Amino acid sequence: MAIIELKVPSPGESITEVIIARWIKQSGDVVEKDEVLAEIDSDKATLTLNAEEAGKIEILAAEGDTVKVGQVVVKIDTSVQPEAKAAKPEAAPAKAEAKKEEPKKESPAVAAPAAASYASGTPSPAAAKIMAENNVKSGQINGTGRDGRITKQDVINALSNGFPSAAAAASNSWQGGRDKEKVKMTNLRKTVARRLVAVKNETAMLTTFNEIDMSGIYAIRAKYKDKFKEVHGSNVGFMSFFTKAVTEALYHFPAVNAQIDGEEIIYNKYCDIGIAVSAPKGLMVPVLRNAEQMSLAQIEGGIKELAVKARDGKLTIADMEGGTFTITNGGVFGSMMSTPIINPPQSAILGMHNVVERPVAVNGQVVIRPMMYVALSYDHRIIDGRESVGFLVKVKEMLENPSRMLFGGKNPEEVLLGL
């Protein structure tokens, strides 16, 4: 009998322990090679633990346990192999085949739930993701998978057919009762909490505001959106324009792209822009490397790739390490104005918000324009008020006159005249 021990993988340097977030398999299950056994939460990301060989597993740690990196948490007995798929029966004589009636295929939507077992009601990773996104509870779905597990198709069928109980519910979302639920904080949430408190305590954080007339960006998107999608295969969004404007403004105000290291200031000669994105596990900040060298199309493609990885839970530590400046967009959730918190060890963060049509004065006339409030939170220990305000004004100027992004923040006429 050959026993293989699976150890907790290292999520990255400086991380010594993780939490077993969820066991996808149970002790006694016979699994295939590379099958996902568990999800592991670290301070920075969620990892999966996969079977190195096929066999029968024995689990040595419970869900919610804190375990050391390198600790053995699963044993695999490779002498027990998964059952081979049943071979197709030999073809019967043609006459017998003709008389045989084909069994009626049962629709997945009405498939009978599997017999109750220890795994009944446990969703697969794909099913759990869809359920979380649509606020669906396990008790609302009958699992038709192995041992009563809830499959992705079960969730899709349930969503398409609707939930009778929800339709009959009162208009008030609250259903009464005095129940409470206590949930243990994940490692990721605890780390975020510690870092946010540390930022407030260890930096001299201030926030300056401005507003941007988005008419120029709207006009470019309306004029070129179809051709842009035809050439580059994606839509052009606000974030790519903001990222490009930020990289140009950082060149003119290098302190905003710097950071404090002890009694020294490190001035970064490149722009690694952190893009805050919403993920199933919470807010994540993957980094777009050397954004100052990218075109709008390259920025758009890079942001899309990072957002997809965040949504699918596939961001790695390397995707989130570093970063010299961060952009966060609360506007996608309807935020009108906020004061974003600096992402240490960076010294500043730009907050975008929703676009609202408002009356503004233009050349002595009141006109309706699509306006956005922007906020720059910065560490006053390294960035002075002049630099913070100047940086935000430079971003505003380039977004209101996008051609400036091609000429180092200047108007084409100024470049032509050598001004």
Side-chain angles (χ1 to χ4, degrees):
M1 180 175 71
I3 301 294
I4 293 179
E5 296 181 337
L6 292 190
K7 297 179 180 180
V8 175
S10 173
E13 294 180 15
S14 78
I15 298 178
T16 59
E17 58 184 25
V18 297
I19 291 178
I20 304 294
R22 184 165 71 97
W23 283 108
I24 297 169
K25 299 295 181 180
Q26 305 294 328
S27 277
D29 284 357
V30 180
V31 300
E32 302 279 358
K33 182 179 179 180
D34 296 327
E35 200 166 351
V36 178
L37 306 181
E39 292 180 352
I40 299 172
D41 274 345
S42 72
D43 288 355
K44 297 181 179 179
T46 297
L47 309 173
T48 58
L49 184 66
N50 297 64
E52 293 180 1
E53 295 291 342
K56 183 177 180 180
I57 64 171
E58 178 188 356
I59 293 173
L60 307 179
E63 280 189 8
D65 282 0
T66 299
V67 295
K68 300 287 186 183
V69 170
Q71 180 178 331
V72 177
V73 291
V74 178
K75 290 183 178 180
I76 302 178
D77 181 357
T78 58
S79 65
V80 181
Q81 291 293 302
E83 293 181 6
K85 293 182 179 179
K88 292 183 179 180
E90 292 182 7
K95 290 183 180 179
E97 266 187 18
K99 293 180 182 179
K100 228 175 190 180
E101 289 186 7
E102 289 187 7
K104 292 182 180 178
K105 292 184 179 180
E106 193 173 358
S107 169
V110 295
S117 73
Y118 63 88
S120 291
T122 302
S124 69
K129 179 178 179 296
I130 300 175
M131 289 167 67
E133 291 173 350
N134 292 277
N135 196 25
V136 176
K137 306 296 182 186
S138 298
Q140 295 177 273
I141 300 176
N142 289 326
T144 61
R146 181 182 176 185
D147 297 323
R149 288 181 173 86
I150 297 173
T151 66
K152 177 182 177 181
Q153 192 61 46
D154 292 335
V155 182
I156 294 173
N157 290 338
L159 289 171
S160 62
N161 294 332
F163 299 101
S165 57
S171 59
N172 192 335
S173 299
W174 293 97
Q175 301 302 311
R178 302 286 295 172
D179 296 338
K180 295 182 180 180
E181 182 181 7
K182 185 180 288 187
V183 179
K184 187 176 181 180
M185 290 177 71
T186 64
N187 255 18
L188 182 61
R189 177 54 59 186
K190 286 189 286 188
T191 300
V192 169
R194 285 196 304 267
R195 285 167 64 88
L196 293 180
V197 172
V199 170
K200 298 290 286 185
N201 291 337
E202 297 172 8
T203 66
M205 194 178 83
L206 291 178
T207 304
T208 184
F209 301 91
N210 213 318
E211 61 179 356
I212 296 174
D213 183 348
M214 299 291 288
S215 299
I217 303 298
Y218 269 46
I220 289 178
R221 293 178 72 207
K223 185 176 181 179
Y224 296 106
K225 65 178 182 180
D226 293 335
K227 189 171 184 179
F228 188 91
K229 189 169 186 177
E230 180 184 338
V231 174
H232 300 293
S234 64
N235 295 317
V236 56
F238 290 150
M239 187 63 79
S240 54
F241 283 99
F242 272 82
T243 303
K244 189 66 177 176
V246 160
T247 60
E248 289 296 330
L250 290 175
Y251 177 82
H252 295 279
F253 297 91
V256 183
N257 199 42
Q259 62 191 60
I260 293 177
D261 182 20
E263 296 183 354
E264 297 179 326
I265 298 176
I266 299 174
Y267 288 94
N268 299 298
K269 304 298 184 179
Y270 55 88
C271 298
D272 283 356
I273 307 297
I275 307 292
V277 296
S278 182
K281 293 287 183 179
L283 192 68
M284 313 290 261
V285 189
V287 178
L288 200 63
R289 311 287 177 187
N290 286 109
E292 80 284 358
Q293 298 178 12
M294 294 183 175
S295 65
L296 280 179
Q298 290 172 326
I299 292 172
E300 195 67 42
I303 292 173
K304 182 179 179 181
E305 181 182 348
L306 293 173
V308 170
K309 291 178 73 174
R311 182 196 65 196
D312 296 341
K314 295 181 179 179
L315 285 176
T316 64
I317 300 297
D319 290 326
M320 294 182 284
E321 284 181 333
T324 62
F325 185 90
T326 295
I327 304 175
T328 180
N329 185 6
V332 296
F333 305 111
S335 172
M336 181 179 180
M337 187 177 289
S338 65
T339 55
I341 297 180
I342 299 168
N343 184 24
Q346 298 169 25
S347 298
I349 179 172
L350 179 72
M352 300 165 56
H353 301 91
N354 61 347
V355 180
V356 178
E357 289 192 342
R358 296 200 304 270
V360 294
V362 178
N363 298 325
Q365 300 292 321
V366 176
V367 295
I368 304 298
R369 292 290 177 87
M371 304 297 293
M372 176 194 287
Y373 288 121
V374 288
L376 179 75
S377 292
Y378 60 98
D379 189 346
H380 209 346
R381 296 178 302 165
I382 184 174
I383 302 170
D384 295 329
R386 180 189 64 83
E387 293 169 312
S388 63
V389 173
F391 171 86
L392 206 52
V393 168
K394 183 66 71 174
V395 170
K396 170 184 170 71
E397 289 175 350
M398 284 187 285
L399 290 170
E400 291 185 341
N401 185 1
S403 62
R404 284 176 175 263
M405 297 184 200
L406 299 175
F407 300 100
K410 297 181 179 181
N411 278 320
E413 294 85 354
E414 292 176 327
V415 176
L416 182 62
L417 295 171
L419 300 176

